[in-house]
Structures are given as C-alpha cells and as structure tokens.
Amino acid sequence: MNRKTILIVGAGVSGLTAGIYALKSGYHVILLEKNPSVGGLCTGWYRKGRYLDGCIHWLTGTNEGNDLNNMWHDVGALEKDTKIIQLGSWGTFEYQGQKVTFWSDLKRAEKEWIEISPIDKKEIKHFFKMVKDIMSVDLPLDKPVSMMNPFKVLKLGLDVLNVWPSYLLTMRMSCEQYAKRFKSEAIRWAITHAQPGAGNLYSMLFCYGTIASGNGGIPEGGSKAMVERMKNRFLSLGGTLKLNTPVSHILKKGNKAVGVVTNEGEKYYADYVISALDPHYTLNHLLLNQYSLPKFEKRYDSFKKNPTPSCCMVILEAKDINVPVPYSFECEPFYVGGELISHITIRNHNYDKDTFVKNGKTIISVLIDQYSEHYQYWNKLYKENPMKYRLKKEQLGLLVMNKIIKKIPEMQGNIEVLDVFTPKTLNRYTNSSRGAYMGFLFTKNKGMFTHNGMVKNLNNFMMTGQWMQCPGGLPLALSQGKFAIQRINKIEHIKTALSTNRVYKKENA
Ligand SMILES: Cc1cc2nc3c(=O)[nH]c(=O)nc-3n(C[C@H](O)[C@H](O)[C@H](O)COP(=O)(O)OP(=O)(O)OC[C@H]3O[C@@H](n4cnc5c(N)ncnc54)[C@H](O)[C@@H]3O)c2cc1C
C-alpha cells in the first residue's frame, strides 16, 4: 500500500475523478473545494422549492462497455441502478414554420429531411453518412496516448483512416459554412443552430452521433445527483474532503510543490499537488504568476481565434406542455452581452418527471450562447454597477419569457422566471476564465489541443481538468482526472491496473 499523499484543489468532476483513482491506487488523498458543495460546473440548485439543473444536456459514455462508461461507473457517477434517459432527438429546429428534427433514429431523420427538401437528397445522404462515420470511431479515453497499448493506438489509427474523408471535411469547416451546401433554408438554419456553443462541423456531428447511438443519455436525477454519487464514492474509499476551503496558493520548496495555503492561511502538506481547476486561474493565482504554460497561454491570449463557449441561462417554471425536446425557433433578434441572438432553444426537462415536474408544472431552461469576447461585458457590469447587473439579468429573464409566450401563447399566465445566470456567475462560482463552461473549441482553423498538465521547473505538481484536451466537457474532465493519477503512478513506478477492461451491466439487464 502506497501511503504518499496527493492533495487536489477543486472538487469538480475532474478533481473528484483524480481523487477516486488516487485512492484506488493506494494514496492518501485530500480534496479541497472552495464551494459548499462538490461538482463545480456540473451542478444543480434549488429555487422556490424546485430543482434547477445547470449542466447535463447529455452525458457522453452512457452505452455499456466503452471506456467512458466503465470510468463513469468506476467513479460512481453511474451506478448499476442509475436510470439513463434517452431523448428521441437532439432537437427540433423550426424555421419559418418548417420543422427539421435531428431524430436519434437516423433513418427516420434522413427520410424526413429528404421529404422536406428532395432537391438536397444527395447532400442529406452525405450528411448522415458522415454522422455514421464519426460515430463508428470509438475514442479510447482510459489512458493518455503516450501510455496506450500500441495495438489500441493502431486500431484507433485504422478506424480513423477508414472514415478519413469525413474527418478531413468536417474538422476544418464551420457549421455555417457547411450549411450553405443545402438549398433548403430550414435545413441550413437547423445545421447552423444545432449545436450550443458553436464549434466546427466535426463537433456538431460528433454530438449528434453521440445522441443517436444512445451514448449521450441523461442520468435520472440530473447533474447534482451524479456529482453527489461521485462524492460518496470518494468518501467511501477513505478520501478527505474539505468544502468551503478556497486555496490561495501553492506551497513550494525549491522547485518542488509541497502543499497549499488556503485563503484562511491554513497549510496542507502533500507529496503531490494537483490543480483541477481553470489553468489560467492556476497560473495567475495559485502559482502567483511565476510559471508559464506557453502552449496554453498562446491560445488563451488570442481568444477571438480560440473561443471558449460560455452562456447565459434563463430557467423557468411553466405549465407542462407538449413541445419537442429541445425545441428551437427563430425570434426577433436581440443583443445579449454584445452578441446578436436570433433564436431561442427551449429545453423542457419533463423527460425526468420525478426530478423536474411538480403539480403539472415543469422546468424549462434556455441556454443563450456567449463566448470569450462577451465576458468583458458581464464582468464590467458586475464590477462597476452590481444593481444594473442584477437588473440586466432580470430583464433578460423577462425578455426570454415573453419570447416563449409569443411563440407558445398558451404559456401566457402559466410561466415564471426562476433564475438567470451569466458568464460572470460561472466565473464567480468556479473561477473559470471568462466564464467558460468548456475548453477551447475546435474551430475551422484550430484543431486539437492537448496538454499533459506538467509545469516546467515545478516538480510534483500537475494540472488536470477539461482544459487539458479540447473541447472539454464532462468526458474529458473525467478522463483527464484519471490521466493525472496514471502519470503520477508512472513517476512512482506504481503498476496499479486502473484499466477499464470490464463491462458494467445494468442491474436489470
Ligand atoms: C450550462 C452548462 C451546460 C453544460 N452541459 C454539458 C453537457 O451536456 N455535457 C457535457 O459533457 N458537459 C457539459 N457542460 C460542461 C461541464 O460542466 C464541464 O466540462 C465540467 O463540469 C468541467 O469539469 P472540471 O472538473 O474540469 O472543472 P470545474 O467544474 O470548473 O471544476 C473546478 C473546481 O475547482 C473549484 N475551485 C476553483 N478555484 C478554487 C480554489 N481557489 N480553491 C478550491 N477550489 C477551487 C471550483 O469551485 C470547481 O468545483 C456544461 C456546463 C454548463 C455550465
């Protein structure tokens, strides 16, 4: 049994994952989190007695047997009896009265799209072929590539090679650019607006393929229940969790990290320190601006070329009516944080009745895209005029509510805003830079970004989290949390097999 101590800062999905795999490897683990609860960006909260969910639209890795699914079970995010909800579609997009649906049943979607626009038949067939091609590659995420079995690397290479034309076309093309290939304006509009957080065509097809293959279900109970299960797994393995404990900076001895100091001045010592939070915050605050990560900073500083997605979200309680989930429609354009918004996507959470429906009323959320460049607006407003900031949030809530009523008149008198958050809220809650909720996007000009989390001239220190591999999101927060421990195990010559060669079967399967 190895009893070296690993100290982890940040109990988001990545920090919890690192903590659990460290405990499984035999380390003593201390996890420090600034907030009163775990989860970071993957969270939910209560307003007026209603549960509001702030994260999971889909969880990649819900199909039994793949690496991610095994890892979600390893860390307790999914348990044998966790019910996975599958939505019938990735969304219905209505443009000038015509509805285009991204059905999970690809055959049905293809047929319906061709009926909508027979003239686009060839392009539609090609679109669905690309979705299937991209779905066919099972990305191995249980080990960093440098530690992967060469046969697995070879298999991945061959799988990608097999569908290479689809990769080549989609990696370097924006959805907007691609949409122009279609004659149907409704299909063009749907393809352009399908993906929250924009990104390139590859990400869009990957997300759609994930939903269509059933690998992007939603665990019943939502985000909060999921991270609480992870917390329980961490505690049951003997980890020490300190909530309400913001870390001020990393303690060093020479060129070695030896612990941390909290905002309260308390010191914790360890053999290894992992920062499982935003790298920009880590460099500037926890590491007191004394180290640099050139590869990361280069992208971070040119944020117009390397956008990260953020959002405002309006959450409402409403009469539970029958609309597609999610349902997107055009609206009269309005500005949010400097971005012109011309559509509303409503997400009726009634797919999980026990969690979201009460007395015939459901919870609806509306995510409004914002990017790195819009953060400044919210940050300035918050700092210079907190009253005006609050007022802006209220106005945004009412604006969105009225747009929903205009589209669905039966909502009149049956809908109420419960909460509104902005990029500034995300930044305040988790220290995420510019309120980003994911890492760097794949764009048409910028491809893959990965980082091993090591900082030059600082030993026994590592970064992890969604930023270490673009575009971030829950699956990469998970895998990067595991990678950090695999890297430490390698340094420590620990041969614990944290492999995922198991298949977690459903209790009732
Ligand atoms: C609205 C929304 C919808 C989303 N939908 C999806 C989705 O459908 N699917 C998907 O895959 N992903 C989704 N995401 C993204 C997902 O939530 C993130 O990718 C993931 O949670 C990031 O995890 P992380 O552990 O890397 O970082 P974080 O969650 O940012 O964790 C960092 C942790 O460190 C803590 N911390 C920060 N500073 C300190 C300090 N000084 N001391 C101590 N602790 C500190 C923070 O409080 C936080 O708990 C969504 C996010 C949002 C906001």
Side-chain angles (χ1 to χ4, degrees), residues 235-255:
L235 294 175
S236 71
L237 289 168
T240 303
L241 173 65
K242 300 264 178 196
L243 297 171
N244 297 307
T245 310
V247 168
S248 156
H249 59 275
I250 309 291
L251 276 173
K252 291 180 302 170
K253 205 169 182 183
N255 61 355

Side-chain angles (χ1 to χ4, degrees), residues 11 19 21 136 144 169 236 259 340 496 500 502 506:
Y21 280 114
S136 71
L169 176 80
S236 71
L340 188 68
T496 314
T500 52
R502 306 167 295 287
K506 284 251 159 299

Side-chain angles (χ1 to χ4, degrees), residues 301-365:
D301 290 340
S302 52
F303 62 85
K304 288 206 172 154
K305 279 194 202 144
N306 299 283
T308 52
S310 185
C311 65
C312 288
M313 192 180 266
V314 177
I315 310 180
L316 312 102
E317 185 187 54
K319 182 179 165 187
D320 188 11
I321 56 152
N322 191 16
V323 286
V325 181
Y327 175 41
S328 192
F329 49 86
E330 318 140 81
C331 63
E332 232 167 75
F334 59 106
Y335 279 96
V336 179
E339 172 84 352
L340 188 68
I341 307 293
S342 59
H343 74 293
I344 296 273
T345 302
I346 66 173
R347 187 174 181 82
N348 185 346
H349 292 255
N350 70 354
Y351 49 77
D352 182 351
K353 291 220 168 356
D354 288 348
T355 309
F356 294 103
V357 181
K358 203 170 162 185
N359 304 328
K361 292 207 164 177
T362 185
I363 297 297
I364 285 179
S365 60

Side-chain angles (χ1 to χ4, degrees), residues 9-15 32-35 37-42 54-60 245-248 276-278 281 286 311 313 367 421 426 429-432 437-438 464-467 472-475 477:
V9 188
V13 165
S14 215
L32 305 180
E33 166 57 46
K34 83 176 185 59
N35 288 328
S37 54
V38 300
L41 290 165
C42 184
C55 182
I56 302 177
H57 289 58
W58 63 87
L59 181 73
T60 307
T245 310
V247 168
S248 156
L277 50 100
D278 184 280
Y281 189 88
L286 302 193
C311 65
M313 192 180 266
L367 186 149
F421 71 73
L426 296 175
Y429 188 62
T430 65
N431 285 329
S432 79
Y437 68 78
M438 283 177 48
T464 187
Q466 61 165 344
W467 287 86
L474 292 167

